[in-house]
Amino acid sequence: PYIRNANMTVKKYFVRISFFVASLSFSLFITAPNALAAGYIWTDQTSAGTRSWQALASSSSGQYLAAGDFGGNIWTSSNYGAAWTDQTNLGAQDWYGLASSSDGSKLVAVTNGGNIYTSSDYGVHWTVQSAVGTHNWDSVASSSTGQYLVAGITYAGGNIYTSSDYGVHWTDQTSAGSYSWSAVTSDSTGKYLAAAVYGGDLYTSSDYGADWTDQTSAGTRNWRSITSSSSGQYLAATVNGGDIYTSSDYGVHWTD
């Protein structure tokens, strides 16, 4: 009888504990989305000041950041955005795009109506890559090592350029066509690329930008931005004044 009563007592407390765990799990399920929606995980990093921020890049860990001020300078952070350094050696320019290697050491920046710049020391020193010329650059993307780069020219009649040597030499990828390229993105290897045309279609490449496919299933829209997973399989693109579209098959099919 004692053992039977003890077992019943254990079962009784087990039920109570199970009910508590279930209640706690349900409570977290209900409150967590609301907490995230409230935005409590965001911190206003005032040390960089209030500026016309146009471009942003991050290392894979998030420790190293770079931000471009349109009509101003590039700012960098090495402590997850808590403190920022004004990299004044480049001067004030219309920064339109930034990209980073996975470790944050190699950066590439493009200006609208200007040049492409690269850095190999976390944004302290920069090199102007004059060989590619001065264009209305709108966006740039990098592989995880920073070796493979892709950049797009905005406005009608612009092209996509790629580099396989950290931005020293560039190739005009004419197979993609001349359009108003508003955004480019890359997987971690630089092999799988995707690009968006403002007032046009989405395009993808699986050979480092040598050949491009017009992904018409997404439709012709005012595409404004595009981003990729590290594998290049998953993509997301936004429409100016419209919706967000996603793809899980390297850009072949898209879901609104």
Side-chain angles (χ1 to χ4, degrees):
Y2 175 80
I3 295 177
R4 183 168 57 250
N5 290 338
N7 289 338
M8 291 176 63
T9 301
V10 170
K11 290 181 180 179
K12 179 172 64 176
Y13 281 105
F14 177 78
V15 170
R16 289 179 179 175
I17 292 172
S18 299
F19 178 77
F20 171 76
V21 171
S23 299
L24 178 60
S25 299
F26 180 75
S27 176
L28 290 173
F29 175 78
I30 294 299
T31 59
N34 293 332
L36 291 174
Y40 78 98
I41 59 173
W42 287 87
T43 301
D44 185 1
Q45 301 294 357
T46 57
S47 63
T50 301
R51 307 180 190 282
S52 299
W53 301 112
Q54 177 69 22
L56 186 68
S58 171
S59 64
S60 59
S61 67
Q63 178 181 354
Y64 296 95
L65 305 172
D69 175 16
F70 188 83
N73 298 330
I74 289 180
W75 294 65
T76 59
S77 173
S78 59
N79 58 356
Y80 302 92
W84 291 81
T85 300
D86 184 358
Q87 304 294 353
T88 57
N89 54 348
L90 278 175
Q93 299 191 53
D94 292 337
W95 302 107
Y96 247 64
L98 273 167
S100 171
S101 60
S102 60
D103 65 0
S105 65
K106 296 176 179 61
L107 299 172
V108 56
V110 297
T111 60
N112 191 261
N115 298 307
I116 293 180
Y117 296 82
T118 58
S119 172
S120 58
D121 58 1
Y122 300 91
V124 177
H125 301 96
W126 293 81
T127 300
V128 55
Q129 302 297 350
S130 56
V132 70
T134 300
H135 301 284
N136 290 316
W137 304 106
D138 192 88
S139 60
V140 66
S142 172
S143 64
S144 61
T145 62
Q147 178 181 353
Y148 295 93
L149 305 173
V150 57
I153 300 174
T154 189
Y155 302 133
N159 293 342
I160 288 179
Y161 287 75
T162 60
S163 173
S164 59
D165 58 2
Y166 301 93
V168 178
H169 302 95
W170 292 80
T171 301
D172 184 355
Q173 301 295 357
T174 56
S175 63
S178 298
Y179 302 104
S180 179
W181 300 103
S182 57
V184 293
T185 189
S186 171
D187 75 329
S188 62
T189 68
K191 179 180 180 180
Y192 293 95
L193 306 175
V197 176
Y198 194 88
D201 299 338
L202 298 177
Y203 291 75
T204 60
S205 173
S206 58
D207 56 5
Y208 299 93
D211 301 287
W212 292 81
T213 301
D214 184 354
Q215 302 295 356
T216 57
S217 63
T220 299
R221 310 179 192 281
N222 291 328
W223 300 106
R224 191 62 196 93
S225 64
I226 192 167
T227 190
S228 170
S229 65
S230 61
S231 67
Q233 178 180 352
Y234 299 93
L235 301 170
T238 63
V239 179
N240 187 27
D243 298 338
I244 295 175
Y245 289 73
T246 59
S247 173
S248 59
D249 57 3
Y250 298 91
V252 178
H253 302 95
W254 292 82
T255 301
D256 185 352

